[in-house]
PDB file of all heavy atoms in Angstrom:
ATOM      1  N   PHE A  13      12.599  12.175 -13.077  1.00 98.00           N
ATOM      2  CA  PHE A  13      11.536  11.704 -13.984  1.00 98.00           C
ATOM      3  C   PHE A  13      12.118  10.676 -14.950  1.00 98.00           C
ATOM      4  O   PHE A  13      13.161  10.866 -15.534  1.00 98.00           O
ATOM      5  CB  PHE A  13      11.001  12.939 -14.761  1.00 98.00           C
ATOM      6  CG  PHE A  13       9.894  12.611 -15.687  1.00 98.00           C
ATOM      7  CD1 PHE A  13       8.732  12.012 -15.223  1.00 98.00           C
ATOM      8  CD2 PHE A  13       9.967  12.933 -17.013  1.00 98.00           C
ATOM      9  CE1 PHE A  13       7.678  11.721 -16.109  1.00 98.00           C
ATOM     10  CE2 PHE A  13       8.929  12.672 -17.888  1.00 98.00           C
ATOM     11  CZ  PHE A  13       7.794  12.082 -17.425  1.00 98.00           C
ATOM     12  N   ASP A  15      10.075   9.190 -17.452  1.00 98.00           N
ATOM     13  CA  ASP A  15       9.019   9.037 -18.460  1.00 98.00           C
ATOM     14  C   ASP A  15       7.823   8.230 -18.017  1.00 98.00           C
ATOM     15  O   ASP A  15       7.133   7.590 -18.814  1.00 98.00           O
ATOM     16  CB  ASP A  15       9.591   8.429 -19.753  1.00 98.00           C
ATOM     17  CG  ASP A  15      10.642   9.311 -20.392  1.00 98.00           C
ATOM     18  OD1 ASP A  15      10.438  10.538 -20.440  1.00 98.00           O
ATOM     19  OD2 ASP A  15      11.669   8.793 -20.833  1.00 98.00           O
ATOM     20  N   THR A  16       7.516   8.270 -16.718  1.00 98.00           N
ATOM     21  CA  THR A  16       6.334   7.601 -16.210  1.00 98.00           C
ATOM     22  C   THR A  16       5.343   8.659 -15.752  1.00 98.00           C
ATOM     23  O   THR A  16       5.680   9.546 -14.971  1.00 98.00           O
ATOM     24  CB  THR A  16       6.690   6.711 -14.973  1.00 98.00           C
ATOM     25  OG1 THR A  16       7.719   5.790 -15.363  1.00 98.00           O
ATOM     26  CG2 THR A  16       5.468   5.951 -14.513  1.00 98.00           C
ATOM     27  N   ILE A  17       4.130   8.584 -16.319  1.00 98.00           N
ATOM     28  CA  ILE A  17       3.077   9.530 -15.972  1.00 98.00           C
ATOM     29  C   ILE A  17       1.796   8.798 -15.608  1.00 98.00           C
ATOM     30  O   ILE A  17       1.642   7.618 -15.897  1.00 98.00           O
ATOM     31  CB  ILE A  17       2.793  10.494 -17.130  1.00 98.00           C
ATOM     32  CG1 ILE A  17       2.311   9.723 -18.335  1.00 98.00           C
ATOM     33  CG2 ILE A  17       3.967  11.386 -17.460  1.00 98.00           C
ATOM     34  CD1 ILE A  17       1.517  10.566 -19.345  1.00 98.00           C
ATOM     35  N   ILE A  18       0.922   9.537 -14.978  1.00 98.00           N
ATOM     36  CA  ILE A  18      -0.408   9.017 -14.672  1.00 98.00           C
ATOM     37  C   ILE A  18      -1.397  10.150 -14.925  1.00 98.00           C
ATOM     38  O   ILE A  18      -1.115  11.300 -14.589  1.00 98.00           O
ATOM     39  CB  ILE A  18      -0.487   8.482 -13.218  1.00 98.00           C
ATOM     40  CG1 ILE A  18      -1.794   7.769 -12.976  1.00 98.00           C
ATOM     41  CG2 ILE A  18      -0.252   9.578 -12.217  1.00 98.00           C
ATOM     42  CD1 ILE A  18      -1.802   6.946 -11.702  1.00 98.00           C
ATOM     43  N   ARG A  19      -2.516   9.811 -15.541  1.00 98.00           N
ATOM     44  CA  ARG A  19      -3.557  10.820 -15.829  1.00 98.00           C
ATOM     45  C   ARG A  19      -4.660  10.639 -14.760  1.00 98.00           C
ATOM     46  O   ARG A  19      -5.289   9.581 -14.755  1.00 98.00           O
ATOM     47  CB  ARG A  19      -4.096  10.654 -17.239  1.00 98.00           C
ATOM     48  CG  ARG A  19      -3.067  11.049 -18.296  1.00 98.00           C
ATOM     49  CD  ARG A  19      -3.632  10.948 -19.699  1.00 98.00           C
ATOM     50  NE  ARG A  19      -4.915  11.617 -19.911  1.00 98.00           N
ATOM     51  CZ  ARG A  19      -5.116  12.917 -20.063  1.00 98.00           C
ATOM     52  NH1 ARG A  19      -4.056  13.752 -20.070  1.00 98.00           N
ATOM     53  NH2 ARG A  19      -6.313  13.440 -20.226  1.00 98.00           N
ATOM     54  N   THR A  20      -4.836  11.661 -13.962  1.00 98.00           N
ATOM     55  CA  THR A  20      -5.872  11.605 -12.923  1.00 98.00           C
ATOM     56  C   THR A  20      -6.140  13.030 -12.457  1.00 98.00           C
ATOM     57  O   THR A  20      -5.680  13.993 -13.088  1.00 98.00           O
ATOM     58  CB  THR A  20      -5.436  10.692 -11.762  1.00 98.00           C
ATOM     59  OG1 THR A  20      -6.552  10.500 -10.879  1.00 98.00           O
ATOM     60  CG2 THR A  20      -4.245  11.238 -11.005  1.00 98.00           C
ATOM     61  N   THR A  21      -6.890  13.150 -11.382  1.00 98.00           N
ATOM     62  CA  THR A  21      -7.208  14.467 -10.815  1.00 98.00           C
ATOM     63  C   THR A  21      -6.574  14.657  -9.437  1.00 98.00           C
ATOM     64  O   THR A  21      -6.251  13.674  -8.775  1.00 98.00           O
ATOM     65  CB  THR A  21      -8.728  14.681 -10.678  1.00 98.00           C
ATOM     66  OG1 THR A  21      -9.206  13.796  -9.657  1.00 98.00           O
ATOM     67  CG2 THR A  21      -9.461  14.415 -11.985  1.00 98.00           C
ATOM     68  N   VAL A  22      -6.441  15.892  -9.037  1.00 98.00           N
ATOM     69  CA  VAL A  22      -5.941  16.204  -7.683  1.00 98.00           C
ATOM     70  C   VAL A  22      -6.893  15.602  -6.664  1.00 98.00           C
ATOM     71  O   VAL A  22      -6.451  14.964  -5.674  1.00 98.00           O
ATOM     72  CB  VAL A  22      -5.817  17.725  -7.492  1.00 98.00           C
ATOM     73  CG1 VAL A  22      -5.490  18.041  -6.039  1.00 98.00           C
ATOM     74  CG2 VAL A  22      -4.773  18.292  -8.436  1.00 98.00           C
ATOM     75  N   SER A  23      -8.188  15.734  -6.858  1.00 98.00           N
ATOM     76  CA  SER A  23      -9.133  15.218  -5.867  1.00 98.00           C
ATOM     77  C   SER A  23      -9.074  13.705  -5.721  1.00 98.00           C
ATOM     78  O   SER A  23      -9.173  13.183  -4.602  1.00 98.00           O
ATOM     79  CB  SER A  23     -10.574  15.657  -6.202  1.00 98.00           C
ATOM     80  OG  SER A  23     -10.991  15.172  -7.416  1.00 98.00           O
ATOM     81  N   LYS A  24      -8.849  12.985  -6.800  1.00 98.00           N
ATOM     82  CA  LYS A  24      -8.706  11.518  -6.721  1.00 98.00           C
ATOM     83  C   LYS A  24      -7.427  11.144  -5.973  1.00 98.00           C
ATOM     84  O   LYS A  24      -7.424  10.215  -5.169  1.00 98.00           O
ATOM     85  CB  LYS A  24      -8.727  10.872  -8.099  1.00 98.00           C
ATOM     86  CG  LYS A  24     -10.115  10.856  -8.696  1.00 98.00           C
ATOM     87  CD  LYS A  24     -10.104  10.194 -10.053  1.00 98.00           C
ATOM     88  CE  LYS A  24     -11.498  10.220 -10.649  1.00 98.00           C
ATOM     89  NZ  LYS A  24     -11.510   9.629 -12.024  1.00 98.00           N
ATOM     90  N   LEU A  25      -6.334  11.875  -6.216  1.00 98.00           N
ATOM     91  CA  LEU A  25      -5.103  11.609  -5.501  1.00 98.00           C
ATOM     92  C   LEU A  25      -5.271  11.909  -4.020  1.00 98.00           C
ATOM     93  O   LEU A  25      -4.788  11.165  -3.149  1.00 98.00           O
ATOM     94  CB  LEU A  25      -3.946  12.404  -6.101  1.00 98.00           C
ATOM     95  CG  LEU A  25      -3.401  11.892  -7.433  1.00 98.00           C
ATOM     96  CD1 LEU A  25      -2.409  12.880  -8.027  1.00 98.00           C
ATOM     97  CD2 LEU A  25      -2.750  10.525  -7.272  1.00 98.00           C
ATOM     98  N   TRP A  47       3.503  15.201  -3.932  1.00 97.00           N
ATOM     99  CA  TRP A  47       3.374  14.216  -2.883  1.00 97.00           C
ATOM    100  C   TRP A  47       4.693  13.429  -2.794  1.00 97.00           C
ATOM    101  O   TRP A  47       5.258  13.063  -3.803  1.00 97.00           O
ATOM    102  CB  TRP A  47       2.269  13.215  -3.181  1.00 97.00           C
ATOM    103  CG  TRP A  47       0.868  13.705  -3.111  1.00 97.00           C
ATOM    104  CD1 TRP A  47      -0.003  13.519  -2.076  1.00 97.00           C
ATOM    105  CD2 TRP A  47       0.128  14.358  -4.131  1.00 97.00           C
ATOM    106  NE1 TRP A  47      -1.209  14.068  -2.382  1.00 97.00           N
ATOM    107  CE2 TRP A  47      -1.184  14.583  -3.664  1.00 97.00           C
ATOM    108  CE3 TRP A  47       0.454  14.803  -5.402  1.00 97.00           C
ATOM    109  CZ2 TRP A  47      -2.159  15.217  -4.399  1.00 97.00           C
ATOM    110  CZ3 TRP A  47      -0.545  15.448  -6.161  1.00 97.00           C
ATOM    111  CH2 TRP A  47      -1.819  15.651  -5.648  1.00 97.00           C
ATOM    112  N   ILE A  59       5.004  12.319  -6.754  1.00 98.00           N
ATOM    113  CA  ILE A  59       3.935  12.557  -7.725  1.00 98.00           C
ATOM    114  C   ILE A  59       3.785  14.087  -7.841  1.00 98.00           C
ATOM    115  O   ILE A  59       3.699  14.747  -6.788  1.00 98.00           O
ATOM    116  CB  ILE A  59       2.603  11.966  -7.319  1.00 98.00           C
ATOM    117  CG1 ILE A  59       2.718  10.501  -6.953  1.00 98.00           C
ATOM    118  CG2 ILE A  59       1.516  12.175  -8.386  1.00 98.00           C
ATOM    119  CD1 ILE A  59       1.539   9.964  -6.155  1.00 98.00           C
ATOM    120  N   TYR A  60       3.787  14.631  -9.029  1.00 98.00           N
ATOM    121  CA  TYR A  60       3.686  16.081  -9.185  1.00 98.00           C
ATOM    122  C   TYR A  60       3.213  16.475 -10.573  1.00 98.00           C
ATOM    123  O   TYR A  60       3.467  15.774 -11.556  1.00 98.00           O
ATOM    124  CB  TYR A  60       5.062  16.744  -8.916  1.00 98.00           C
ATOM    125  CG  TYR A  60       6.191  16.137  -9.746  1.00 98.00           C
ATOM    126  CD1 TYR A  60       6.581  16.755 -10.934  1.00 98.00           C
ATOM    127  CD2 TYR A  60       6.840  14.992  -9.347  1.00 98.00           C
ATOM    128  CE1 TYR A  60       7.596  16.233 -11.691  1.00 98.00           C
ATOM    129  CE2 TYR A  60       7.877  14.461 -10.098  1.00 98.00           C
ATOM    130  CZ  TYR A  60       8.257  15.084 -11.273  1.00 98.00           C
ATOM    131  OH  TYR A  60       9.274  14.550 -12.042  1.00 98.00           O
ATOM    132  N   ASP A  61       2.485  17.570 -10.623  1.00 98.00           N
ATOM    133  CA  ASP A  61       2.159  18.142 -11.935  1.00 98.00           C
ATOM    134  C   ASP A  61       3.420  18.845 -12.390  1.00 98.00           C
ATOM    135  O   ASP A  61       4.255  19.230 -11.613  1.00 98.00           O
ATOM    136  CB  ASP A  61       0.984  19.108 -11.838  1.00 98.00           C
ATOM    137  CG  ASP A  61       1.265  20.308 -10.976  1.00 98.00           C
ATOM    138  OD1 ASP A  61       1.347  20.132  -9.729  1.00 98.00           O
ATOM    139  OD2 ASP A  61       1.430  21.410 -11.508  1.00 98.00           O
ATOM    140  N   GLU A  64       2.477  23.225 -15.559  1.00 96.00           N
ATOM    141  CA  GLU A  64       1.132  23.630 -15.987  1.00 96.00           C
ATOM    142  C   GLU A  64       1.073  25.145 -16.062  1.00 96.00           C
ATOM    143  O   GLU A  64       0.345  25.694 -16.864  1.00 96.00           O
ATOM    144  CB  GLU A  64       0.078  23.096 -15.031  1.00 96.00           C
ATOM    145  CG  GLU A  64      -0.087  21.561 -15.098  1.00 96.00           C
ATOM    146  CD  GLU A  64      -0.732  21.102 -16.399  1.00 96.00           C
ATOM    147  OE1 GLU A  64      -1.524  21.838 -16.995  1.00 96.00           O
ATOM    148  OE2 GLU A  64      -0.459  19.961 -16.782  1.00 96.00           O
ATOM    149  N   ARG A  66      -0.483  27.353 -14.395  1.00 97.00           N
ATOM    150  CA  ARG A  66      -1.837  27.892 -14.255  1.00 97.00           C
ATOM    151  C   ARG A  66      -2.470  27.217 -13.043  1.00 97.00           C
ATOM    152  O   ARG A  66      -2.001  26.189 -12.578  1.00 97.00           O
ATOM    153  CB  ARG A  66      -2.671  27.586 -15.484  1.00 97.00           C
ATOM    154  CG  ARG A  66      -2.855  26.102 -15.755  1.00 97.00           C
ATOM    155  CD  ARG A  66      -3.582  25.820 -17.060  1.00 97.00           C
ATOM    156  NE  ARG A  66      -3.573  24.404 -17.305  1.00 97.00           N
ATOM    157  CZ  ARG A  66      -4.465  23.544 -16.788  1.00 97.00           C
ATOM    158  NH1 ARG A  66      -5.414  23.977 -15.970  1.00 97.00           N
ATOM    159  NH2 ARG A  66      -4.421  22.271 -17.076  1.00 97.00           N
ATOM    160  N   GLU A  70      -9.428  21.067  -9.068  1.00 97.00           N
ATOM    161  CA  GLU A  70      -9.295  19.802  -8.305  1.00 97.00           C
ATOM    162  C   GLU A  70      -9.858  18.592  -9.066  1.00 97.00           C
ATOM    163  O   GLU A  70      -9.440  17.474  -8.828  1.00 97.00           O
ATOM    164  CB  GLU A  70      -9.977  19.921  -6.954  1.00 97.00           C
ATOM    165  CG  GLU A  70      -9.359  20.897  -6.023  1.00 97.00           C
ATOM    166  CD  GLU A  70      -8.332  20.290  -5.098  1.00 97.00           C
ATOM    167  OE1 GLU A  70      -8.417  19.118  -4.752  1.00 97.00           O
ATOM    168  OE2 GLU A  70      -7.394  21.034  -4.750  1.00 97.00           O
ATOM    169  N   ASN A  71     -10.807  18.822  -9.965  1.00 98.00           N
ATOM    170  CA  ASN A  71     -11.441  17.733 -10.665  1.00 98.00           C
ATOM    171  C   ASN A  71     -11.045  17.607 -12.146  1.00 98.00           C
ATOM    172  O   ASN A  71     -11.635  16.853 -12.905  1.00 98.00           O
ATOM    173  CB  ASN A  71     -12.969  17.831 -10.555  1.00 98.00           C
ATOM    174  CG  ASN A  71     -13.418  17.659  -9.105  1.00 98.00           C
ATOM    175  OD1 ASN A  71     -13.013  16.725  -8.442  1.00 98.00           O
ATOM    176  ND2 ASN A  71     -14.199  18.583  -8.629  1.00 98.00           N
ATOM    177  N   GLU A  72     -10.027  18.338 -12.526  1.00 98.00           N
ATOM    178  CA  GLU A  72      -9.538  18.328 -13.901  1.00 98.00           C
ATOM    179  C   GLU A  72      -8.518  17.184 -14.079  1.00 98.00           C
ATOM    180  O   GLU A  72      -7.615  17.041 -13.287  1.00 98.00           O
ATOM    181  CB  GLU A  72      -8.833  19.663 -14.174  1.00 98.00           C
ATOM    182  CG  GLU A  72      -8.193  19.800 -15.483  1.00 98.00           C
ATOM    183  CD  GLU A  72      -7.478  21.131 -15.642  1.00 98.00           C
ATOM    184  OE1 GLU A  72      -7.509  21.998 -14.745  1.00 98.00           O
ATOM    185  OE2 GLU A  72      -6.878  21.318 -16.692  1.00 98.00           O
ATOM    186  N   ILE A  73      -8.718  16.393 -15.086  1.00 98.00           N
ATOM    187  CA  ILE A  73      -7.775  15.311 -15.394  1.00 98.00           C
ATOM    188  C   ILE A  73      -6.553  15.917 -16.061  1.00 98.00           C
ATOM    189  O   ILE A  73      -6.665  16.596 -17.111  1.00 98.00           O
ATOM    190  CB  ILE A  73      -8.392  14.250 -16.294  1.00 98.00           C
ATOM    191  CG1 ILE A  73      -9.562  13.561 -15.573  1.00 98.00           C
ATOM    192  CG2 ILE A  73      -7.349  13.230 -16.723  1.00 98.00           C
ATOM    193  CD1 ILE A  73     -10.335  12.590 -16.434  1.00 98.00           C
ATOM    194  N   ILE A  74      -5.413  15.709 -15.459  1.00 98.00           N
ATOM    195  CA  ILE A  74      -4.129  16.176 -16.028  1.00 98.00           C
ATOM    196  C   ILE A  74      -3.080  15.070 -15.915  1.00 98.00           C
ATOM    197  O   ILE A  74      -3.315  14.061 -15.268  1.00 98.00           O
ATOM    198  CB  ILE A  74      -3.592  17.437 -15.323  1.00 98.00           C
ATOM    199  CG1 ILE A  74      -3.246  17.180 -13.871  1.00 98.00           C
ATOM    200  CG2 ILE A  74      -4.584  18.615 -15.469  1.00 98.00           C
ATOM    201  CD1 ILE A  74      -2.417  18.285 -13.247  1.00 98.00           C
ATOM    202  N   GLU A  75      -1.950  15.280 -16.555  1.00 98.00           N
ATOM    203  CA  GLU A  75      -0.832  14.344 -16.431  1.00 98.00           C
ATOM    204  C   GLU A  75      -0.005  14.707 -15.241  1.00 98.00           C
ATOM    205  O   GLU A  75       0.441  15.860 -15.114  1.00 98.00           O
ATOM    206  CB  GLU A  75       0.038  14.385 -17.697  1.00 98.00           C
ATOM    207  CG  GLU A  75      -0.587  13.722 -18.873  1.00 98.00           C
ATOM    208  CD  GLU A  75       0.353  13.628 -20.062  1.00 98.00           C
ATOM    209  OE1 GLU A  75       1.490  14.196 -20.018  1.00 98.00           O
ATOM    210  OE2 GLU A  75      -0.069  13.053 -21.074  1.00 98.00           O
ATOM    211  N   PHE A  76       0.217  13.752 -14.375  1.00 98.00           N
ATOM    212  CA  PHE A  76       1.144  13.908 -13.264  1.00 98.00           C
ATOM    213  C   PHE A  76       2.385  13.084 -13.558  1.00 98.00           C
ATOM    214  O   PHE A  76       2.289  11.970 -14.039  1.00 98.00           O
ATOM    215  CB  PHE A  76       0.512  13.402 -11.948  1.00 98.00           C
ATOM    216  CG  PHE A  76      -0.559  14.310 -11.408  1.00 98.00           C
ATOM    217  CD1 PHE A  76      -1.869  14.159 -11.782  1.00 98.00           C
ATOM    218  CD2 PHE A  76      -0.207  15.312 -10.507  1.00 98.00           C
ATOM    219  CE1 PHE A  76      -2.856  14.994 -11.294  1.00 98.00           C
ATOM    220  CE2 PHE A  76      -1.193  16.158  -9.988  1.00 98.00           C
ATOM    221  CZ  PHE A  76      -2.517  15.999 -10.390  1.00 98.00           C
ATOM    222  N   HIS A  77       3.524  13.644 -13.233  1.00 98.00           N
ATOM    223  CA  HIS A  77       4.791  12.924 -13.347  1.00 98.00           C
ATOM    224  C   HIS A  77       4.989  12.067 -12.112  1.00 98.00           C
ATOM    225  O   HIS A  77       4.555  12.459 -11.013  1.00 98.00           O
ATOM    226  CB  HIS A  77       5.968  13.888 -13.454  1.00 98.00           C
ATOM    227  CG  HIS A  77       6.096  14.541 -14.791  1.00 98.00           C
ATOM    228  ND1 HIS A  77       7.273  15.035 -15.231  1.00 98.00           N
ATOM    229  CD2 HIS A  77       5.189  14.787 -15.760  1.00 98.00           C
ATOM    230  CE1 HIS A  77       7.115  15.559 -16.437  1.00 98.00           C
ATOM    231  NE2 HIS A  77       5.850  15.437 -16.776  1.00 98.00           N
ATOM    232  N   ILE A  78       5.627  10.947 -12.292  1.00 98.00           N
ATOM    233  CA  ILE A  78       6.011  10.079 -11.151  1.00 98.00           C
ATOM    234  C   ILE A  78       7.543  10.034 -11.177  1.00 98.00           C
ATOM    235  O   ILE A  78       8.143   9.601 -12.192  1.00 98.00           O
ATOM    236  CB  ILE A  78       5.415   8.681 -11.273  1.00 98.00           C
ATOM    237  CG1 ILE A  78       3.886   8.741 -11.293  1.00 98.00           C
ATOM    238  CG2 ILE A  78       5.944   7.801 -10.110  1.00 98.00           C
ATOM    239  CD1 ILE A  78       3.212   7.417 -11.531  1.00 98.00           C
ATOM    240  N   ALA A  89       5.430   2.215  -8.839  1.00 98.00           N
ATOM    241  CA  ALA A  89       4.571   3.221  -8.215  1.00 98.00           C
ATOM    242  C   ALA A  89       3.312   3.455  -9.023  1.00 98.00           C
ATOM    243  O   ALA A  89       2.188   3.549  -8.499  1.00 98.00           O
ATOM    244  CB  ALA A  89       5.326   4.526  -8.029  1.00 98.00           C
ATOM    245  N   LYS A  90       3.456   3.540 -10.357  1.00 98.00           N
ATOM    246  CA  LYS A  90       2.282   3.729 -11.223  1.00 98.00           C
ATOM    247  C   LYS A  90       1.306   2.574 -11.084  1.00 98.00           C
ATOM    248  O   LYS A  90       0.107   2.779 -10.956  1.00 98.00           O
ATOM    249  CB  LYS A  90       2.742   3.911 -12.677  1.00 98.00           C
ATOM    250  CG  LYS A  90       1.587   4.113 -13.620  1.00 98.00           C
ATOM    251  CD  LYS A  90       2.038   4.351 -15.055  1.00 98.00           C
ATOM    252  CE  LYS A  90       0.868   4.589 -15.970  1.00 98.00           C
ATOM    253  NZ  LYS A  90       1.298   4.942 -17.319  1.00 98.00           N
ATOM    254  N   ARG A  91       1.800   1.362 -11.096  1.00 98.00           N
ATOM    255  CA  ARG A  91       0.909   0.180 -10.950  1.00 98.00           C
ATOM    256  C   ARG A  91       0.147   0.248  -9.625  1.00 98.00           C
ATOM    257  O   ARG A  91      -1.080   0.012  -9.586  1.00 98.00           O
ATOM    258  CB  ARG A  91       1.712  -1.134 -11.051  1.00 98.00           C
ATOM    259  CG  ARG A  91       2.155  -1.501 -12.427  1.00 98.00           C
ATOM    260  CD  ARG A  91       2.713  -2.897 -12.477  1.00 98.00           C
ATOM    261  NE  ARG A  91       3.855  -3.115 -11.589  1.00 98.00           N
ATOM    262  CZ  ARG A  91       5.124  -2.795 -11.897  1.00 98.00           C
ATOM    263  NH1 ARG A  91       5.422  -2.239 -13.060  1.00 98.00           N
ATOM    264  NH2 ARG A  91       6.099  -3.031 -11.036  1.00 98.00           N
ATOM    265  N   LEU A  93      -0.475   2.943  -7.788  1.00 98.00           N
ATOM    266  CA  LEU A  93      -1.391   4.058  -7.830  1.00 98.00           C
ATOM    267  C   LEU A  93      -2.645   3.720  -8.598  1.00 98.00           C
ATOM    268  O   LEU A  93      -3.761   3.995  -8.168  1.00 98.00           O
ATOM    269  CB  LEU A  93      -0.715   5.276  -8.474  1.00 98.00           C
ATOM    270  CG  LEU A  93       0.214   6.087  -7.599  1.00 98.00           C
ATOM    271  CD1 LEU A  93       1.023   7.075  -8.442  1.00 98.00           C
ATOM    272  CD2 LEU A  93      -0.596   6.837  -6.540  1.00 98.00           C
ATOM    273  N   LEU A  94      -2.479   3.090  -9.784  1.00 97.00           N
ATOM    274  CA  LEU A  94      -3.655   2.720 -10.555  1.00 97.00           C
ATOM    275  C   LEU A  94      -4.535   1.766  -9.823  1.00 97.00           C
ATOM    276  O   LEU A  94      -5.780   1.857  -9.910  1.00 97.00           O
ATOM    277  CB  LEU A  94      -3.209   2.081 -11.907  1.00 97.00           C
ATOM    278  CG  LEU A  94      -2.598   3.057 -12.907  1.00 97.00           C
ATOM    279  CD1 LEU A  94      -2.018   2.313 -14.100  1.00 97.00           C
ATOM    280  CD2 LEU A  94      -3.604   4.112 -13.355  1.00 97.00           C
ATOM    281  N   GLU A  95      -3.976   0.899  -9.029  1.00 96.00           N
ATOM    282  CA  GLU A  95      -4.762  -0.043  -8.241  1.00 96.00           C
ATOM    283  C   GLU A  95      -5.612   0.665  -7.189  1.00 96.00           C
ATOM    284  O   GLU A  95      -6.780   0.350  -7.032  1.00 96.00           O
ATOM    285  CB  GLU A  95      -3.831  -1.083  -7.570  1.00 96.00           C
ATOM    286  CG  GLU A  95      -4.571  -2.190  -6.870  1.00 96.00           C
ATOM    287  CD  GLU A  95      -5.393  -3.057  -7.785  1.00 96.00           C
ATOM    288  OE1 GLU A  95      -5.068  -3.290  -8.938  1.00 96.00           O
ATOM    289  OE2 GLU A  95      -6.456  -3.542  -7.278  1.00 96.00           O
ATOM    290  N   LEU A  97      -6.508   3.813  -7.248  1.00 96.00           N
ATOM    291  CA  LEU A  97      -7.378   4.806  -7.864  1.00 96.00           C
ATOM    292  C   LEU A  97      -8.608   4.188  -8.517  1.00 96.00           C
ATOM    293  O   LEU A  97      -9.489   4.922  -8.963  1.00 96.00           O
ATOM    294  CB  LEU A  97      -6.610   5.633  -8.892  1.00 96.00           C
ATOM    295  CG  LEU A  97      -5.574   6.616  -8.333  1.00 96.00           C
ATOM    296  CD1 LEU A  97      -4.702   7.175  -9.456  1.00 96.00           C
ATOM    297  CD2 LEU A  97      -6.272   7.748  -7.587  1.00 96.00           C
ATOM    298  N   LYS A  98      -8.683   2.888  -8.573  1.00 90.00           N
ATOM    299  CA  LYS A  98      -9.841   2.197  -9.183  1.00 90.00           C
ATOM    300  C   LYS A  98     -11.126   2.583  -8.488  1.00 90.00           C
ATOM    301  O   LYS A  98     -11.221   2.691  -7.324  1.00 90.00           O
ATOM    302  CB  LYS A  98      -9.686   0.689  -9.133  1.00 90.00           C
ATOM    303  CG  LYS A  98      -8.717   0.157 -10.142  1.00 90.00           C
ATOM    304  CD  LYS A  98      -8.746  -1.338 -10.054  1.00 90.00           C
ATOM    305  CE  LYS A  98      -7.748  -1.969 -11.018  1.00 90.00           C
ATOM    306  NZ  LYS A  98      -7.730  -3.402 -10.917  1.00 90.00           N
TER     307      LYS A  98
END
Side-chain angles (χ1 to χ4, degrees):
F13 183 57
D15 297 318
T16 305
I17 61 159
I18 189 166
R19 290 183 50 80
T20 190
T21 68
V22 172
S23 62
K24 286 181 181 177
L25 286 171
W47 290 261
I59 307 165
Y60 53 95
D61 63 288
E64 290 290 331
R66 62 186 175 82
E70 292 269 329
N71 295 310
E72 176 183 359
I73 296 173
I74 65 166
E75 286 186 355
F76 287 89
H77 285 204
I78 301 174
K90 180 177 181 174
R91 285 190 302 277
L93 281 167
L94 289 172
E95 186 63 33
L97 288 169
K98 283 184 182 179

